[in-house]
Amino acid sequence: MTNLEPGTLVGGVDTHADTIHVAAVDSWGRQLGDQEFPTTPSGYRQALAFLTGRGEVVGIGIEGTSSYGVGITRAAGEAGIAVFEVVRPERAVRRREGKSDPLDAYQAAQAMLSGRATAAAKSADITALRALHNARRSAVKARAAAQSRFATNW
């Protein structure tokens, strides 16, 4: 995403259980604004309207696309906006630069702009497959434990 057209922007989202913090960065890396929204369908619509009101959105970097960010990830995908998973900044970076929701949202947008955020967001299909895989793994472990107990009781 390093070669954006003038007038385009990228978004960054810091996710939490009750709120998301959204930031917009233009093609030159300038901060265009940030705002907090509730984690509700109307909050997701407001967040996307906030971003699209500042220019053409070419992508959004979201921390936690399969946990707290699943709602905004789906809403952005349905709106036709490319969504990428952003890895939370390292502890050293957070200590040096500070920790706040606006900073985290801007860092997610900067990760998009610099090309560090290249992992596609997890889709609902992947989330369902992960849940199925975890259930199977748990069942296999329980079966092995039961067989082990049965063998020692004989």
Side-chain angles (χ1 to χ4, degrees), residues 119-144:
K122 294 164 189 78
S123 68
D125 297 339
I126 296 299
T127 304
L129 284 173
R130 180 179 294 130
L132 182 63
H133 177 71
N134 288 341
R136 181 185 184 284
R137 185 175 16 177
S138 177
V140 167
K141 284 182 181 180
R143 180 176 182 245

Side-chain angles (χ1 to χ4, degrees), residues 66-132:
S66 64
S67 56
Y68 291 140
V70 71
I72 187 66
T73 299
R74 287 182 184 159
E78 289 170 2
I81 299 172
V83 179
F84 295 89
E85 176 78 28
V86 175
V87 177
R88 186 170 53 162
E90 297 174 6
R91 286 180 196 244
V93 172
R94 290 193 345 241
R95 261 188 247 113
R96 186 174 57 246
E97 296 179 14
K99 167 73 176 114
S100 74
D101 296 345
L103 279 175
D104 287 350
Y106 278 117
Q107 287 177 348
Q110 291 292 346
M112 282 288 301
L113 192 61
S114 70
R116 289 189 322 260
T118 58
K122 294 164 189 78
S123 68
D125 297 339
I126 296 299
T127 304
L129 284 173
R130 180 179 294 130
L132 182 63

Side-chain angles (χ1 to χ4, degrees), residues 32-98:
L32 301 177
D34 64 275
Q35 194 169 334
E36 186 174 85
F37 300 94
T39 55
T40 62
S42 66
Y44 302 142
R45 286 190 297 275
Q46 292 170 6
L48 294 175
F50 169 80
L51 288 173
T52 57
R54 281 153 179 70
E56 180 187 347
V57 181
V58 296
I60 299 176
I62 301 176
E63 287 185 17
T65 59
S66 64
S67 56
Y68 291 140
V70 71
I72 187 66
T73 299
R74 287 182 184 159
E78 289 170 2
I81 299 172
V83 179
F84 295 89
E85 176 78 28
V86 175
V87 177
R88 186 170 53 162
E90 297 174 6
R91 286 180 196 244
V93 172
R94 290 193 345 241
R95 261 188 247 113
R96 186 174 57 246
E97 296 179 14

